[in-house]
Amino acid sequence: MSGKCKYFWKLQSGLAINHMKFDGNLEVEKISKKKHPIVFVIIPGNPGLIHFYEKFSEVLYSTTDIPVWGVSHTGHTKTDKQFDHPDVLDCGLECQIEHKIDFLKQEVFPNADKVILIGHSIGCYIILQIMDKMKEYRSRFEKGGLLFPGIEKLRHSPNGKLMTPLLSYGRWLYVFLVGILNLLPNFVLCRLVPWLKSSERCVSDTFLQHLCPKVADCCTYMALEEMYEVWFY
């Protein structure tokens, strides 16, 4: 993965949070301490690993010269050894919204004057909720970009009609299958999942590095809540 894209772990309200900063500077210290007039902040879809957006962040930075930050959804990354993996009940949709609000207040706004939020899929719904809940920061939100937004009636979408019963009654099966896949060597996984060979390296590497039952449990739990909670905005 690109040396210009740096990943960090922090404890936030007792939970391990994984976030990313990309500003074209190789030195972690400068990335962490530099004050910015404006930054992009990416809120991912589901699975919510910010590593998937590394290439996107690189292109966005190269075309705008604006630093690009992002934060993974809680529990969606294999946790660093010094932290415990979050409990699945801390990884639901409403919890994810609150975690992003805390991240903006604690990590972003102390280091940037203004923010451009970019959401993907369910990340767009989270952005709308953030802007609604953070009215006192409204002047510091420059704008919000919604990419392939999933913001209403998810359960009645074509994918939602298929996934809702599967997630409701067979969520354990996803976790079990991921546990089996996690035992296989990478070269076997690449044969079983052909799209890994044709994907951007940041996507294939992330998939292989974070394939584990705990991550699958948190991702599917959030997805189930999305089906029932994202109705109207």
Side-chain angles (χ1 to χ4, degrees):
M1 294 186 180
S2 170
K4 295 181 181 179
C5 199
K6 300 296 181 181
Y7 296 91
F8 306 85
W9 284 96
K10 63 173 293 187
L11 270 181
Q12 183 179 285
S13 301
L15 298 172
I17 303 294
N18 185 231
H19 62 104
M20 172 271 288
K21 295 182 180 180
F22 189 111
D23 71 356
N25 194 317
L26 293 175
E27 298 182 43
V28 175
E29 293 82 4
K30 291 184 178 180
I31 290 178
S32 300
K33 297 178 181 179
K34 188 177 180 181
K35 179 77 173 180
H36 301 288
I38 189 167
V39 298
F40 288 105
V41 175
I42 298 173
I43 309 295
N46 186 0
L49 298 95
I50 198 60
H51 308 66
F52 284 143
Y53 301 83
E54 186 170 304
K55 183 65 175 180
F56 174 74
S57 301
E58 182 180 354
V59 173
L60 189 58
Y61 175 79
S62 67
T63 55
T64 64
D65 205 34
I66 296 173
V68 183
W69 295 4
V71 57
S72 295
H73 293 320
T74 307
H76 287 212
T77 51
K78 190 181 287 186
T79 312
D80 193 75
K81 291 182 180 179
Q82 61 182 309
F83 301 112
D84 293 327
H85 199 278
D87 185 84
V88 68
L89 295 178
D90 292 317
C91 301
L93 182 57
E94 190 60 35
C95 291
Q96 301 290 359
I97 294 168
E98 293 302 321
H99 299 162
K100 304 305 176 291
I101 290 173
D102 290 343
F103 177 76
L104 287 166
K105 288 180 177 179
Q106 296 176 21
E107 187 69 29
V108 179
F109 284 126
N111 298 295
D113 295 325
K114 291 202 170 187
V115 169
I116 300 173
L117 294 173
I118 297 180
H120 171 226
S121 188
I122 193 61
C124 301
Y125 177 82
I126 293 175
I127 282 179
L128 294 176
Q129 294 292 320
I130 287 171
M131 290 183 165
D132 186 54
K133 294 174 182 287
M134 296 183 70
K135 292 183 173 66
E136 69 276 21
Y137 288 85
R138 187 162 289 175
S139 63
R140 299 182 68 179
F141 290 121
E142 184 71 13
K143 61 182 69 175
L146 309 183
L147 307 177
F148 306 100
I151 58 176
E152 65 175 11
K153 298 182 180 179
L154 293 189
R155 187 154 45 107
H156 291 274
S157 67
N159 285 339
K161 290 178 180 178
L162 172 66
M163 294 304 297
T164 300
L166 291 176
L167 290 168
S168 297
Y169 304 108
R171 195 170 66 83
W172 63 271
L173 183 59
Y174 291 95
V175 180
F176 175 76
L177 289 175
V178 168
I180 298 298
L181 292 174
N182 189 42
L183 300 174
L184 302 176
N186 286 352
F187 76 91
V188 175
L189 282 173
C190 289
R191 289 181 176 274
L192 292 175
V193 190
W195 59 262
L196 284 173
K197 292 183 178 180
S198 58
S199 299
E200 289 284 350
R201 188 168 181 181
C202 63
V203 175
S204 57
D205 285 359
T206 298
F207 177 86
L208 294 171
Q209 291 171 12
H210 296 275
L211 186 70
C212 78
K214 287 183 179 180
V215 169
D217 195 22
C218 293
C219 291
T220 54
Y221 179 74
M222 179 180 171
L224 178 60
E225 290 207 339
E226 290 170 26
M227 295 300 110
Y228 286 98
E229 294 183 21
V230 181
W231 185 244
F232 286 111
Y233 178 76

